[in-house]
Amino acid sequence: MALSVFAVVSVLSYTGLVRALDTKERLERERSFWSQMSLAFVRMDQDFSEARGRGVRDGGGAALPAFMANASAADQSGVEFTRSAPLGLSARGLQRIGYEVTDHTLWRITWPTVDRAPGAEPTRSALIADVDGFHVLLHGRNGATTKLWPAGAGVDELPNGVEMTVSIPGRGAFTRAFFIHG
């Protein structure tokens, strides 16, 4: 009799333990996802708030605008701009930053110098995984919105704000707006 009671209690305890471990695993995945999203959007906010109206030169010496945004045929967007560099990072106090999605990952791209040396390769840091959509909408000085920049703006002109939407399968679309103070 005691052995039967012990067996029933053991099965119930084991079932409860398995459920608790499954719940802990799910909670850890959720915490990791929300932490990744939060850190990515905080990083973007820091970058966009420091955008500056200074064009750059590419590796071949051609002029590039201070702020560039485009939409590809698949309606995926990319953005690249000059920002004030964190203290001690750049002798000139400027840094070139970009964001794009490739291989279902949102990447933050940084170039080693503001004006690109021939053959200089950017550093890529993964921000958000499992991305199936990335869209940028720019708010111009005249109140109009566009997906392309500089569309009719001067090469050193910055938009007033950037609205980014990141879509993740099974999670939906996350949209954040960033003001540009430049």
Side-chain angles (χ1 to χ4, degrees):
M1 179 73 156
L3 200 52
S4 297
V5 169
F6 178 73
V8 168
V9 169
S10 295
V11 168
L12 292 175
S13 297
Y14 178 76
T15 303
L17 178 63
V18 167
R19 284 186 184 156
L21 291 174
D22 286 345
T23 300
K24 180 182 176 194
E25 230 176 81
R26 271 194 319 270
L27 287 173
E28 180 57 30
R29 280 194 308 270
E30 283 297 308
R31 185 207 60 78
S32 178
F33 171 78
W34 289 109
S35 176
Q36 178 185 44
M37 293 297 289
S38 178
L39 289 172
F41 285 126
V42 164
R43 185 62 194 219
M44 289 178 196
D45 186 45
Q46 290 170 342
D47 286 340
F48 286 115
S49 70
E50 294 293 330
R52 297 295 176 254
R54 196 253 197 205
V56 298
R57 299 272 176 198
D58 69 9
L64 296 175
F67 197 101
M68 300 186 319
N70 59 38
S72 70
D75 201 27
Q76 295 283 2
S77 298
V79 64
E80 180 183 321
F81 57 98
T82 304
R83 67 157 281 174
S84 294
L87 291 176
L89 189 61
S90 169
R92 293 187 180 168
L94 297 173
Q95 183 179 31
R96 193 68 172 181
I97 301 292
Y99 289 98
E100 72 176 15
V101 170
T102 52
D103 300 324
H104 299 286
T105 300
L106 175 61
W107 298 91
R108 179 180 187 262
I109 306 161
T110 57
W111 281 265
T113 58
V114 178
D115 293 310
R116 299 177 192 159
E121 291 296 321
T123 302
R124 301 168 67 80
S125 304
L127 293 180
I128 302 173
D130 300 323
V131 174
D132 73 350
F134 177 64
H135 308 284
V136 176
L137 186 63
L138 304 149
H139 297 268
R141 302 265 179 229
N142 60 0
T145 58
T146 182
K147 292 181 180 183
L148 305 173
W149 196 271
V155 293
D156 289 338
E157 188 175 334
L158 300 173
N160 281 342
V162 178
E163 192 175 309
M164 292 185 129
T165 301
V166 178
S167 301
I168 300 175
R171 299 277 188 168
F174 300 87
T175 301
R176 295 295 182 272
F178 307 101
F179 293 104
I180 295 180
H181 306 291

